[in-house]
Every structure is written in structure tokens, then in C-alpha cells.
Amino acid sequence: MDLIAVATPFFLLAIAAELVWGIKQKRNTYRLNDAFSSLMLGILSQARKLITLGVGGAVYYWVTETASLSLLASDDLMTWVIAFVVYDFCYYWLHRMGHEWQLLWAAHVAHHQSEDYNLSTALRQTSTGFLLGWVFYLPLFVLGVPAEVVVTVGALNLIYQFWVHTQHIPELGPLEWVLVTPSNHRVHHAQNDCYLDRNYGGVFIFWDRLFGTYQRELESVPCIYGIRGPIRSWNPVVALTHVYRDMWRDMRHSASWQARLKVLFARPGWQPAEAARIDPRPKSDLRHFERFDPPTTQWVRYYAGSQLLLATILLIFTQLNPVGIALGWGVWAFLLLTGVTTAWWLEDRAEHWLRIVDLARLALLAAAAQAFTGIAWGFAIALVSGVGVLLLLVMSQQHSTSA
């Protein structure tokens, strides 16, 4: 059972509840553009399963068969307790190295780009973490923890982390010493100097206390969320690739192989002297911090909401109805295109060609829905696609009138 897929509807209900609560309390922590970016990255992360093979899974199988201890009993409670604690220990080191090695930061950075902090931020996940992240969980297989136990405790670990992404829950007393809470995880997402690279735990905060990476949230220092080199874009391609791009540029501008190798394992933001001279990357000044928030019309916001709903329906369809590799690639490509084009609308890049591309995209999807899905799914997809077309036509008419 895919626990993440089962939990997704509850995630979405919790996001809606937090939004309503924030509005009621006159402390709304959501913006549609930022939430769209976070949720689209979450959708793409889940949809990645349609097109990628598990490199880690093959290695885990080899380790289990040749190098591990005898398998622990999956029906023994102690196996689950050991696996849960050891998994979080491994997660701590993956997470910590993800902030200390640029190569791993390239995958993890997507989770930190949001300049808001709410439950939608929890779903802002990478699509490239599968490349190297599996290495850190090898100890579980060496210990002989069965694969199904590892997968389950990993899902539980990730599900636990969802609720701590909120600004509406204060410090929780003694729990702050043991568990990752909203307060100490807010610290982790802040870019203030005193909060940088702190509080890496997934479930347990005592790893940070043990290894010297703990920092309490301070009333005197309000958290400023986001990353020091802001991408200033809602585009998922930019979000997922910008650090890889920066590393490539730095390596290309470096004069020695030693410097090129150091680019991979240096702290995020480090540049060789030659690269820093040719292509410097300035950091934001937090004294004058402003969130990225380009102006948009009400109709653009309606349209972005409709495309987020459309992407969610497609993701749920693929989770409930296994598809072949060809259709999987098609769905993933469509979701990526949806994220890119809608991001351009939200960034106020309403060029004439964008309307044409989006109309063609929605028409193609409506036709494909009838051919590849059942009546109910086809109707739902075609209906939301039709709403998108109508909104596009309204926006086009508005643009023509204003021009």
C-alpha cells in the first residue's frame, strides 16, 4: 500500500482547513502563486514514479542478498521500532549533508524555495532526490530490515513531517526536547543567519541536540523563509534544476579539476575564484527582504487554480489506475508543461504564443481523456479542461480590451 497516496486527500483537507483558519484569525499564511508552486512540485514528485526506475531498489536487493545480516522478522514489534528510529537517524544525516554538500543540496533545495511557510510547503518535494538519497539508507538493509518495513517507516516518517509546516502552532513545551515540532522546524526553513543549517531531524529532534545542530526559535528574531539565492520564479523546471545549472557553470569556469570536484562537495553557494569572478551569484540582503510576488489579475488566479485541480485529478487517476510506461511519460510531460505554462501566467508573462500553447494543451488533454480513461475520469478531465479554455478566452478578451 502506498501510504503517501492514501494520506494525500487528508493533506489537502488539512491545507484547506489551515487556509480557512488563517483567514478567520486574520493571519493568512497562503498566497496562491507560492502555494501553486509548492503543490505542483509535490505533484511532479509523486508523478516521477511513472517514469523512473529505482536505482536504490536494485542496490538494496543486492545488499540484502549478499551483505546484510539475516533478515529481521517483519511481524516483530522490535523490528519496527528499530527500523523507525534508525531510519530517522539515517534521514538526519541525509538531510544534514543535503545542506552541506552542494550536490545533494541541488536535489533538496526545492523544498526550501518557498518564501511562505504553511502546510503546502510540506508537499513541496524534489523530483531528483532518488538519484543519490538512497545511499544513506543502506545501513537499514545491512542490519537486515525487510524492504517492506523500510518503505513503510519511510512513508510514516514523511507523513509525520507534514504537520510541522505551519505557523499557527507555538512551542509545545517538553515535546520540543524530543520531537520535531512546528517551532523547531520553522527554524530549519528560515534563512536568518542564526537559523541557517539547523534542526535537521525528521521525527526526533534529539539527533540535533546530540550532534550540535539544534537552534531554538527566538521571539526576537522572526523567521524569514526561503533561500539566500532566490529563484524568483514559479517555474518547476527552474526550481528543480537551478543549482545543477549553477554547478555546471562553476565547473565550466574553473581552471582546475580540483576546483571542479570541490564544486560538488562544497557548501551550497561556494564558487571557485575564477567562477566567482566571471559569473558571480549575489545573495539577497535580508535587511531589505521582499517576497517574490508579481501582480496578477483575478482571472489568472482562477485559471491557476483550475490547472492545479486538473493536475491533481491526473495524479489521482494514475495512482488509482496503473498505466504503462508510454502513457506514464505522457502524463508526466503534460503535468510538467502544465506547471511551466501556468507559472508563466502567474509571473505575468502573458505573451500571445502562451495562449495558443495552452489552448492546444487543454484541447489535447480533453481528447486524450476520452481515449485513455473511463467515462467518469474522461468527463472530469474534459470538464476542468473546458473551464480552463473558457478562462483563457476571458483573459484573452481582457488583454485585447486593455490593449
Side-chain angles (χ1 to χ4, degrees), residues 97-308:
M97 292 301 101
H99 283 252
E100 296 186 4
W101 289 356
Q102 199 155 218
L103 179 61
L104 296 178
W105 174 245
H108 183 57
V109 65
H111 183 61
H112 282 267
Q113 292 155 350
S114 175
E115 295 173 348
D116 295 338
Y117 190 76
N118 51 56
L119 292 177
S120 75
T121 310
L123 304 186
R124 188 182 184 94
Q125 297 293 324
T126 181
S127 292
T128 62
F130 73 97
L131 295 171
L132 293 171
W134 56 270
V135 174
F136 289 81
Y137 298 109
L138 283 172
L140 285 155
F141 292 89
V142 173
L143 288 173
V145 179
E148 64 272 18
V149 177
V150 176
V151 170
T152 303
V153 298
L156 292 173
N157 189 288
L158 190 60
I159 289 170
Y160 175 88
Q161 294 181 49
F162 173 76
W163 78 282
V164 302
H165 292 81
T166 181
Q167 297 184 55
H168 294 293
I169 298 177
E171 283 193 343
L172 297 176
L175 290 180
E176 300 289 335
W177 285 84
V178 181
L179 297 175
V180 172
T181 65
S183 178
N184 57 50
H185 200 63
R186 286 193 288 270
V187 166
H188 177 69
H189 274 261
Q191 54 177 313
N192 313 63
D193 287 339
C194 64
Y195 294 149
L196 274 180
D197 302 330
R198 293 291 184 267
N199 299 1
Y200 295 115
V203 173
F204 301 116
I205 198 65
F206 51 65
W207 306 124
D208 291 282
R209 294 182 179 275
L210 179 62
F211 296 113
T213 54
Y214 176 74
Q215 171 61 52
R216 183 181 182 183
E217 185 178 20
L218 305 173
E219 290 186 10
S220 59
V221 186
C223 294
I224 300 176
Y225 302 106
I227 58 176
R228 286 292 182 89
I231 58 174
R232 304 191 67 77
S233 174
W234 311 121
N235 189 326
V237 174
V238 175
L240 293 170
T241 64
H242 72 101
V243 175
Y244 293 108
R245 178 202 62 202
D246 290 343
M247 286 194 302
W248 168 249
R249 288 178 177 175
D250 286 348
M251 294 174 76
R252 187 162 54 89
H253 294 314
S254 298
S256 69
W257 282 105
Q258 290 87 343
R260 294 184 185 113
L261 185 62
K262 187 176 180 180
V263 166
L264 301 177
F265 298 101
R267 296 190 69 85
W270 180 86
Q271 291 185 277
E274 303 91 338
R277 185 178 65 255
I278 298 170
D279 187 17
R281 294 195 299 274
K283 302 301 181 183
S284 57
D285 183 352
L286 297 187
R287 295 172 300 177
H288 308 288
F289 177 78
E290 292 185 6
R291 292 183 300 178
F292 179 62
D293 196 20
T296 55
T297 67
Q298 184 180 44
W299 290 106
V300 167
R301 292 191 289 272
Y302 288 153
Y303 179 70
S306 75
Q307 296 313 290
L308 189 59

